[in-house]
Structures are given as structure tokens and as C-alpha cells.
Amino acid sequence: MRYLRWLLLLPGAVAVWLMAGLLGAAIPVAGEPPGEEVEIGLVGTAIHYDFLLPATPETRAALGFARRAGVPLDDPAVAWILVGWGAHDFYTSTGRYADIGAGPVLRAITGDGSVLRIDVWPAFDDPATLRLRLSGAQYERLLAAIAGMQGGPVLDHPGFTRTDAFVAAHGRFHLLRTCNVWIGEMLRAAGLRFGAWTPTPQAVRLSVSLHL
């Protein structure tokens, strides 16, 4: 009976969490307006956003730990470097949502260690990608914040592509600090005006449209 009560309450709790995320995205944290010197991207799935960073010498240097992990940062065909943050078990369990088990999901909700995933992309044009322009100083702060998340060794994991790698990261992942919340943390660390709490992709998109 107790479990049935929890099941009945679950849809309402999820709805409250989603609405709170949209409210958190609408409430801005003070920051600078975006600049015009450096273009970055936010590329996402139904539940997750990653950063796409231009493969400049500055970006390659800041993310040098990924080179040690086997990511081919210096390949001349690389135009973008993808960086994402997420729950250790959930993020590394599989590349397909259909194969994710209940255990990693539960640990992601209640609390799990975190990892960074780094990959390299060629030039591409996808209208679904959110494009942001930063000043040189803002981008320098963004790189420092992302690089500062690297908190441990390379994971013994095959990755999802032939070029990516997972690296242990600082901080714990949980329901109130998701990968999308981390996106907001990094943008605010760069000095940008962004939503106070962005737990979902919808909240990230709303915050971009309202504040950037």
C-alpha cells in the first residue's frame, strides 16, 4: 500500500520538478551580456546538453587532459570539441537509452559520482544546435571552469565513439544538480547572465532565449 501511494504521487512530483525547472530558468542570475568574439554551441538530446567548443589552440590547451585520455585533439579535421558532464553510472552505462537499467537511473536521482565526456567533431551544420557568442574574456573563463572540473583519472571505458573518452570529474550528480544544471553553472562561471536553475533541456533552451 505504501508503494502504491508513492506511485500515485510520482506524476505530481515530476510535474512540480519540471515546472520548478522552468521557473528557475526564467529567474536570471546577474552577469554580463554575451560578446561577439567566440561562437560555442549547445548540442543536446531529449534529456541532456553538451558544450561544443571551437577547436582553437586555446581550447586544445585547456582540455589537454583529454589528449592524455586518447582523444585526438590535434587531428586537423577536428573543428569542434564536445564536452559533457553527468552521472558516472548513468552516463557511462550505454549509448542507447533503451539499454539503461534501473540501477543507474536510481543512483543518478539520489546521488552519484560524476564524469566528463570529451569527444571531437568535424565541421557540421545542425539547426537544432543552440549557438552562443562570447567575448574573449568570457570564453577564457568558460574554458577555465570546464577544465577545472577534471578531477581524476581516465575511466577504463570503451566510450561511445572511436574518439571519445570519460574522465573522472569533481562534484556529485543528483536530481537537483543534473547535466543541464551544470551547463548553467559553467555559463555563469564565464560571467554570462543565465537562469538560476536549469535541470532540463527545456529549461536550458528557455534560459538561452530569455537571457542570451
Side-chain angles (χ1 to χ4, degrees):
M1 194 70 180
R2 183 179 60 184
Y3 297 112
L4 178 60
R5 189 161 56 246
W6 278 109
L7 286 174
L8 292 174
L9 290 173
L10 183 60
V14 171
V16 168
W17 183 76
L18 292 172
M19 291 302 297
L22 295 179
L23 179 61
I27 299 173
V29 172
E32 307 164 5
E36 291 294 329
E37 297 176 44
V38 183
E39 183 178 74
I40 69 169
L42 296 177
V43 60
T45 66
I47 62 173
H48 173 92
Y49 265 113
D50 292 311
F51 281 110
L52 275 183
L53 307 176
T56 63
E58 293 78 12
T59 306
R60 297 173 201 255
L63 302 179
F65 62 87
R67 184 183 296 108
R68 296 190 295 273
V71 179
L73 295 182
D74 300 317
D75 187 327
V78 172
W80 297 94
I81 301 172
L82 178 144
V83 185
W85 179 89
H88 179 286
D89 287 1
F90 185 92
Y91 206 3
T92 62
S93 60
T94 180
R96 297 193 309 160
Y97 295 145
D99 296 333
I100 296 173
V105 173
L106 182 60
R107 281 187 289 275
I109 292 172
T110 59
D112 193 4
S114 64
V115 294
L116 290 170
R117 176 176 175 255
I118 306 96
D119 202 356
V120 290
W121 285 23
F124 80 108
D125 185 17
D126 183 353
T129 299
L130 301 177
R131 305 275 183 167
L132 310 178
R133 297 195 69 86
L134 282 63
S135 70
Q138 289 167 342
Y139 187 62
E140 184 178 338
R141 291 193 292 263
L142 177 67
L143 283 179
I146 292 174
M149 292 300 300
Q150 191 264 332
V154 177
L155 272 64
D156 183 15
H157 187 280
F160 298 148
T161 72
R162 292 181 298 173
T163 55
D164 71 339
F166 285 96
V167 178
H170 290 299
R172 289 188 66 77
F173 184 107
H174 49 74
L175 188 62
L176 299 180
R177 192 185 186 218
T178 67
C179 50
N180 303 298
V181 170
W182 178 78
I183 291 287
E185 290 177 359
M186 296 298 100
L187 291 175
R188 291 192 300 273
L192 290 167
R193 180 182 173 91
F194 206 69
W197 188 57
T198 54
T200 65
Q202 294 82 5
V204 170
R205 291 193 293 271
L206 177 62
S207 193
V208 169
S209 66
L210 289 177
H211 310 308
L212 299 179

